Amino acid sequence: MFDPTLTDEQEALIQTARRFAAEKIVPVAAKYDETGEWPADVFREAWEVGLMNVEIPESLGGLGLSTVGGSLVTEELAYGCSGIATSIMANHLASLPLMIAGTDAQKERYLGSLIADPIFASYACSEPEAGSDVAGMQTRIVQDGDDWILNGQKRWITNASHASWYTGFATTDPSLRHKGITAFVVPKDHPGVSSGKKEDKLGQRASDTADVIFEDVRLSADNLLGEPGQGFAIAMETFDKSRPMIAAICSGIIRRCAEESRAYALERKTFGVPIAQHQAVQFMIAEMVMAEEAVKLLWLKAAWEVDNGIKRTSTSAIAKAYGADLAMKCATDAVQVFGGYGYTKEYPVEKLMRDA
Ligand SMILES: Cc1cc2nc3c(=O)[nH]c(=O)nc-3n(C[C@H](O)[C@H](O)[C@H](O)COP(=O)(O)OP(=O)(O)OC[C@H]3O[C@@H](n4cnc5c(N)ncnc54)[C@H](O)[C@@H]3O)c2cc1C
C-alpha cells in the first residue's frame, strides 16, 4: 500500500538539500538566470556534498537512493532554482537508460564516471522535427559489419554543451517508427560527436540546453544499450521513471511561490492593511498551498510506484502534467500578489513564472 510517510533518513536528506539550496543556490540564482552562465561552482559543491547522482547504486559507489529519495532532493534544489535543479536532475535522466538496459561493464564505465568526478551527462532523445512524437525520430543508425554508423541531430538536450557522455536513440529505419529505434551510449569525445547551438531560453536559464550532432559516428556493440529495436521501450521506461522528478521540480517552484507570496502579503500594505487581509489575495495563496500538497502527493505516489516496480505510466505522466500546470498557475498568481513589483527582477517571482 502506498504510504507517503518519510523515513528519518529521508527527512535528514531534505534538511541537507534545503540548507544547500538556501546557502548555495538562492543567493546566486538571479545572477545565473540573468547571464545564462553555467553555474560550475554550484554544481561542484552539490557533487561534493553528495546531492548529485544520488540514485546511482551503492555497488558503483553511489548512494543508491530510491526515486522517492532523489525526488525529495530535486524538490529542494528546485526551490532554490529550477534551472540548476534541471541540470542536476538531467544526469539521472541520462543514467536511466543505462540503469534499465546497460551491461555491468557499461554501468561501471559510465555511471561510475559520475561518481568519480563532478561531470555531466545528457539524455539525447528529442530532435528538431521530433519532440512529442518520439517514434518520428530521424537520427539513423546503420549496421556496418560488426559496427554501427550513427548520423543525425538532437535538439533541446539538457547539459549537452558540458556533458562527458550521451545516452541516445536512433532508428534503423524511420518507417518502422517505434519498432526501429535503438538505444546507445557514447562519450562526447568520440570521433564525430559534438554539441551545437545553445538555446537562449525564456526560463531555466542556468541549465544548458543545446543540440547534439552525430556525424558518421562509428559505434561498436559496446555502445548499444539493450538489443537493436528495443530503444523505444527503453526511452518510454526512462520517461516513466524520470517524470516524478520533473513533478518534484514543479513542487519546488510551487512551494517557493507560496512562501514568497505569503511573506510579501504580510509586509505589503494597501488601504491601510497588509494585502494578506484582502480575501482575494488569501485565495491565491491558499490555492498555492493546495497545489503544493496535491502535486507532492502525486509525485510521491508515482515515485513510490517506480520504486516498487509497479509499471503504471499514467501516474508519473499525471504528476508531471498536473505539476507543470499548477506550477505555471501558482507562478502567475505569485506575480499578481506582488503587483507591479512582481513584474520586476527586484523580486524572484517573475523568474518563477519564466521557469515554470
Ligand atoms: C528546457 C528544455 C529541456 C529539455 N531537455 C531535454 C533533454 O534533456 N532531452 C531530450 O531528449 N529532450 C529535451 N527537451 C525536449 C522536450 O522533451 C520537447 O520539447 C518536448 O518533447 C516537446 O517536443 P517539441 O518541442 O518538438 O514540441 P512538439 O512535439 O512540436 O509540440 C508542439 C505543440 O504541439 C502539441 N502536440 C504535439 N503532439 C500533440 C498531440 N498528439 N496532440 C495534441 N497536442 C500535441 C504539444 O503539446 C505542443 O504544445 C527539453 C525541452 C526543453 C524546453
Side-chain angles (χ1 to χ4, degrees):
M1 263 280 280
F2 168 58
D3 176 2
T5 312
L6 301 182
T7 62
D8 290 347
E9 231 173 36
Q10 287 168 333
E11 295 285 4
L13 183 69
I14 290 173
Q15 291 315 318
T16 304
R18 190 166 291 182
R19 205 166 39 247
F20 184 84
E23 291 172 5
K24 305 290 182 186
I25 301 182
V26 171
V28 296
K31 179 184 97 176
Y32 288 114
D33 171 61
E34 179 89 35
T35 62
E37 282 167 26
W38 180 246
D41 291 350
V42 179
F43 293 142
R44 172 171 277 281
E45 287 185 77
W47 183 85
E48 281 166 0
V49 175
L51 292 172
M52 284 184 63
N53 314 306
V54 293
E55 303 84 358
I56 291 183
E58 285 173 295
S59 58
L60 295 169
L63 292 178
L65 292 191
S66 60
T67 309
V68 169
S71 303
L72 290 169
V73 171
T74 304
E75 177 189 332
E76 296 306 324
L77 302 179
Y79 176 96
C81 173
S82 59
I84 288 175
T86 292
S87 272
I88 290 177
M89 180 265 164
N91 264 15
H92 182 53
L93 183 64
S95 300
L96 276 167
L98 282 151
M99 291 164 104
I100 292 165
T103 62
D104 287 348
Q106 287 170 328
K107 287 178 188 167
E108 201 164 311
R109 174 172 176 188
Y110 293 100
L111 300 182
S113 71
L114 298 175
I115 299 299
D117 292 297
I119 60 167
F120 280 85
S122 296
Y123 174 83
C125 182
S126 304
E127 299 184 356
E129 303 300 329
S132 313
D133 184 11
V134 172
M137 69 175 61
Q138 300 295 315
T139 295
R140 292 295 288 268
I141 187 164
V142 177
Q143 190 148 23
D144 182 39
D146 289 340
D147 292 344
W148 297 79
I149 307 295
L150 178 67
N151 274 291
Q153 185 169 3
K154 297 291 179 178
R155 179 149 296 168
W156 314 114
I157 308 308
T158 301
N159 298 342
S161 320
H162 302 272
S164 298
W165 49 265
Y166 302 114
T167 48
F169 302 87
T171 176
T172 48
D173 176 357
S175 71
L176 292 175
R177 292 200 36 96
H178 62 281
K179 290 182 182 157
I181 296 173
T182 294
F184 60 86
V185 57
V186 64
K188 168 85 174 282
D189 60 8
H190 198 83
V193 179
S194 60
S195 59
K197 181 173 74 79
K198 179 185 166 186
E199 303 296 340
D200 188 7
K201 303 192 300 296
L202 173 75
Q204 308 240 337
R205 290 173 54 78
S207 89
D208 173 82
T209 315
D211 283 7
V212 177
I213 298 139
F214 302 116
E215 273 179 303
D216 293 328
V217 179
R218 182 168 287 276
L219 300 179
S220 69
D222 289 348
N223 296 102
L224 298 197
L225 294 173
E227 296 297 319
Q230 285 182 345
F232 188 78
I234 296 168
M236 293 303 121
E237 190 173 337
T238 298
F239 289 132
D240 289 349
K241 292 181 169 173
S242 58
R243 281 180 178 136
M245 246 171 240
I246 298 178
I249 292 180
C250 301
S251 271
I253 293 174
I254 292 169
R255 183 154 56 82
R256 184 78 184 270
C257 288
E259 289 183 15
E260 295 288 348
S261 298
R262 181 177 177 278
Y264 186 79
L266 288 169
E267 156 204 312
R268 175 74 178 170
K269 289 196 171 91
T270 66
F271 302 93
V273 293
I275 59 169
Q277 290 188 25
H278 303 310
Q279 201 172 29
V281 174
Q282 292 172 5
F283 282 152
M284 284 190 279
I285 297 171
E287 282 182 17
M288 290 176 203
V289 176
M290 285 154 61
E292 188 185 326
E293 184 75 11
V295 172
K296 185 147 190 173
L297 276 172
L298 277 173
W299 67 249
L300 275 170
K301 179 159 182 272
W304 176 86
E305 286 184 359
V306 171
D307 291 336
N308 286 277
I310 299 169
K311 214 171 153 28
R312 197 183 292 136
T313 299
S314 57
T315 319
S316 63
I318 290 167
K320 180 188 169 185
Y322 199 53
D325 285 349
L326 286 182
M328 195 66 236
K329 179 185 184 301
C330 292
T332 308
D333 285 348
V335 170
Q336 181 64 43
V337 169
F338 277 69
Y341 292 108
Y343 205 63
T344 71
K345 289 185 191 291
E346 204 176 318
Y347 290 94
V349 287
E350 62 82 34
K351 174 180 181 295
L352 292 170
M353 190 176 179
R354 287 184 287 105
D355 286 349

